[in-house]
Amino acid sequence: MIKLISLDLDGTLLDPRGRITAASKEAIAKAKAAGIRVVINTGRPAQEGAYFAREAGCDLLVSGAGGGLVVDGETGRTVRQWAVPEASARRAIQLCLGWDAQLLIFAGHEILLTAEYKKYMETWYPFPAFHEAATTTEDFLAYMEEHRLPLVKIHGEKGSGHCPVEELAALPDVTTTSSSSHDFELTAGGADKGAALAVIAARYSIPLDQCAAVGDSENDLSAFRVVGTSIAMGNAPEHVKAAAARAAPSNGEEGAARAVLSCLE
């Protein structure tokens, strides 16, 4: 019997326009009425995870930053944080600064980005919860040192140039993955959506084999591996679909709602 459902955001709960559909909200309400916990498990900042959890009617223990943070969305309190060791964090940022990539640096609860990238994001990523948490700086390392902030995650959007991400994977005590074909992500070693979901499930005293995880990307595979029921979206790459026990329609075809309802059957 499934007692907890973990939902990714982009490509899963959010439709192609970045919205939560009425059908998804209704499905989540039915799951909650049946006594099933429904939580957000996202690569986005925890602040955005909490925002969408409220909108969708989910429970408010939220995993954000690709599993690097678990927060209480009601109070904003950190439940668990995985920080990249300082030496690997510094080297990872130095490497990424030399590549053709636009960077988001998740430093504790702050998101650091350059002023130029912030301007771009204001046009193409109009989510207030993100911009309220975003800080502009032209020197990530100096800002983090000055404010004593740990590195929780690096998200890089690749340009057309060289991004040898295998160099990141070779650093000590890090985890690397991606959420699309054009990005890369780095978190602390052992920090991923599966580890974060284990923390949330334990807080609710629910065994992982009674949990379901719904997602569409490579960074959802860690959640698939730890739960009893894994569900891949129809828009997921083939290797992600192959790793799941079940399939749902795409996020443009009410796949999230169908996935949640299937857990009630």
Side-chain angles (χ1 to χ4, degrees), residues 33-252:
I36 299 174
R37 300 278 188 180
V38 185
V39 300
I40 299 299
N41 196 352
T42 181
R44 292 194 187 206
Q47 295 92 327
E48 285 191 87
Y51 171 84
F52 284 114
R54 289 190 184 91
E55 181 183 345
C58 296
D59 291 275
L60 289 178
L61 274 184
V62 173
S63 163
L69 274 175
V70 177
V71 303
D72 182 335
E74 189 69 42
T75 64
R77 184 177 64 87
T78 299
V79 174
R80 177 67 189 268
Q81 174 180 274
W82 288 263
V84 179
E86 185 175 351
S88 290
R90 175 174 289 275
R91 182 56 181 156
I93 292 173
Q94 290 171 337
L95 285 171
C96 292
L97 288 173
W99 300 346
D100 181 16
Q102 295 285 7
L103 303 177
L104 298 178
I105 306 297
F106 292 63
H109 280 253
E110 293 190 49
I111 302 97
L112 309 181
L113 70 171
T114 64
E116 180 183 3
Y117 195 34
K118 177 74 156 56
K119 186 176 181 180
Y120 170 86
M121 294 288 278
E122 286 170 350
T123 299
W124 297 105
Y125 193 82
F127 294 98
F130 170 85
H131 291 285
E132 289 167 5
T135 298
T136 59
T137 177
E138 303 308 310
D139 191 331
F140 300 128
L141 290 169
Y143 184 92
M144 292 168 66
E145 183 175 349
E146 178 184 355
H147 296 275
R148 299 182 179 179
L149 296 174
L151 177 65
V152 174
K153 175 184 170 182
I154 297 174
H155 177 91
E157 289 288 332
K158 299 176 184 177
S160 58
H162 192 45
C163 291
V165 294
E166 61 275 7
E167 294 181 25
L168 294 180
L171 295 173
D173 300 316
V174 303
T175 297
T176 58
T177 185
S178 66
S179 59
S180 73
S181 60
H182 52 78
D183 69 17
F184 59 87
E185 299 179 352
L186 177 142
T187 54
D192 53 36
K193 289 186 175 184
L197 181 55
V199 170
I200 292 173
R203 297 277 293 195
Y204 288 134
S205 299
I206 298 173
L208 283 167
D209 63 4
Q210 295 178 12
C211 297
V214 188
D216 74 304
S217 299
E218 182 177 314
N219 67 4
D220 294 304
L221 294 176
S222 60
F224 286 4
R225 286 192 288 268
V226 301
V227 297
T229 304
S230 51
I231 306 174
M233 299 291 289
N235 47 287
E238 290 305 316
H239 73 286
V240 174
K241 293 178 184 177
R246 298 185 190 173
S250 75
N251 67 325

